Amino acid sequence: MVAALTMPSLIQHYKKQETSTRLKRFYSLMQQAIKMSEVDNGDSLQWVKFDQKLNDEGEYDYDANGTYSKEFFMEYLAPYIKYNKITEGKSSVDDNGNPSGEHTKVYFADGSTAKIFVGSCYDITFDSNGERKPNEAGRDIFRFIFCNGDYHEALTCGGNNKISFCPYIWRNETRDLRLKRCKEESASYCSGLLFFDNWEFKEDYPIKL
């Protein structure tokens, strides 16, 4: 009886600990890779940024943007980061025959993955457990951005135009505001809350892992 009651709590705690550890590792890995790359390639704020490309129908061109994002990773990050493989983003169709596609994806040794795609900046979605479910934002998928000097608006890196890589955050926000955005606006903002909390899942984290 006691085991049956405590097991869900233990599983929940384990998920939080594992996800927190992988988030910390990924963030540190990216920071270190950027620093090493800057020695060879100059300030990351000046690295080449391709503009998002649309196809003839005015929709996101997964083929072109997949090529851009892979080229970016291979030139600036791949030599300084350990990964198992990378697949280039490409267009496809969903089960209903509608246009769809996949983003460029990097696979890491611990089973986690990161998708890279071209937006106003390079958006990076880190999946802490890779192919395993639930594959939901705020639970096992966490959003980051990589922006060069031309794209530092209020959203990008909290308005800090001296850094290029960061979680999804707004300028100078308190923890309460980050919690509100994560809970009420979009789970994409949860990475900003977790960053504020040193990648720990506090008791009031609004999404159940």
Side-chain angles (χ1 to χ4, degrees):
M1 177 71 74
V2 173
L5 292 173
T6 59
M7 187 60 69
S9 178
L10 290 174
I11 292 174
Q12 178 86 349
H13 178 73
Y14 172 77
K15 286 182 178 179
K16 288 183 177 181
Q17 289 293 105
E18 181 182 40
T19 305
S20 176
T21 297
R22 293 191 174 193
L23 272 165
K24 289 177 182 178
R25 185 186 302 140
F26 173 73
Y27 184 69
S28 176
L29 187 73
M30 288 292 294
Q31 284 190 311
Q32 292 174 15
I34 290 168
K35 287 181 180 179
M36 289 189 290
S37 182
E38 286 184 324
V39 175
D40 297 325
N41 298 301
D43 189 344
S44 57
L45 291 170
Q46 304 304 318
W47 292 354
V48 174
K49 164 66 172 63
F50 294 101
D51 291 327
Q52 182 184 112
K53 185 173 179 57
L54 304 180
N55 59 25
D56 293 339
E57 287 73 40
E59 300 168 335
Y60 189 88
D61 190 328
Y62 284 90
D63 292 321
N65 294 308
T67 298
Y68 294 160
S69 55
K70 183 180 179 182
E71 288 178 353
F72 173 82
F73 178 83
M74 296 306 296
E75 179 172 0
Y76 294 111
L77 297 173
Y80 314 95
I81 201 167
K82 290 184 177 180
Y83 67 100
N84 285 354
K85 69 174 182 176
I86 180 172
T87 57
E88 185 173 316
K90 60 181 180 180
S91 299
S92 63
V93 293
D94 63 22
D95 294 337
N96 297 317
N98 298 315
S100 184
E102 290 291 332
H103 296 299
T104 293
K105 183 187 288 189
V106 181
Y107 296 77
F108 300 104
D110 64 357
S112 62
T113 61
K115 289 184 177 181
I116 306 173
F117 53 99
V118 184
S120 295
C121 302
Y122 285 102
D123 287 75
I124 302 173
T125 53
F126 175 68
D127 192 327
S128 61
N129 60 4
E131 304 300 312
R132 289 185 290 154
K133 294 180 178 180
N135 295 321
E136 295 179 7
R139 296 184 68 187
D140 58 346
I141 295 179
F142 304 92
R143 193 168 184 175
F144 296 80
I145 49 176
F146 186 103
C147 293
N148 69 9
D150 296 331
Y151 286 87
H152 277 79
E153 301 172 357
L155 171 66
T156 59
C157 295
N160 187 341
N161 62 3
K162 298 185 183 301
I163 59 176
S164 55
F165 173 75
C166 62
Y168 216 55
I169 52 178
W170 288 83
R171 185 193 303 269
N172 300 326
E173 285 196 330
T174 64
R175 185 183 186 278
D176 286 343
L177 284 174
R178 295 186 188 198
L179 176 61
K180 179 180 175 66
R181 288 194 188 280
C182 172
K183 184 177 181 179
E184 300 179 6
E185 295 185 29
S186 170
S188 292
Y189 295 120
C190 294
S191 61
L193 172 64
L194 290 166
F195 176 73
F196 192 95
D197 290 335
N198 193 31
W199 305 113
E200 300 290 342
F201 292 84
K202 303 295 186 181
E203 289 298 320
D204 60 350
Y205 187 74
I207 300 174
K208 183 177 179 181
L209 270 63

